[in-house]
Amino acid sequence: MIPANIAVNIDKNEVRKYIEKRLDEEVREAFLLIDLKKMSELLCMSERHITEELLHDPRVKVCEVRKNRKRWWFYKPVLEAIETVVSEW
């Protein structure tokens, strides 16, 4: 029997990117609430732009939770609301 030689080229950077992407997707599923800073990260928009353009919309405001001066938003509903608002631009 002739032994088979198999050569596999693995790009470590691509593997790392894939693993980070999958981990990021899994972490996002675990979010319940997000704050303005995290929303800014996820949307790639400045906090000021989000505040001026999105947070005053009634569809986004419904997802808001307040305690004292702190504000959070329910993750899945606010992303759906933002997607709706942005698609109207």
Side-chain angles (χ1 to χ4, degrees), residues 6-63:
I6 299 174
V8 178
N9 293 330
I10 298 175
D11 185 2
K12 291 181 181 180
N13 289 333
E14 289 299 318
V15 172
R16 179 178 295 274
K17 285 179 187 177
Y18 176 76
I19 291 171
E20 288 175 357
K21 180 182 174 187
R22 293 291 301 160
L23 284 172
D24 189 43
E25 290 172 359
E26 292 300 320
V27 168
R28 284 185 185 181
E29 293 299 319
F31 286 146
L32 178 61
L33 298 171
I34 58 172
D35 61 356
L36 185 57
K37 184 176 182 178
K38 189 64 178 177
M39 193 183 303
S40 174
E41 267 180 47
L42 294 173
L43 297 175
C44 299
M45 296 179 182
S46 70
E47 292 178 16
R48 182 178 179 190
H49 183 73
I50 292 171
T51 303
E52 291 174 357
E53 298 292 327
L54 298 173
L55 298 185
H56 297 294
D57 191 286
R59 295 168 286 191
V60 175
K61 211 163 192 56
V62 168
C63 305

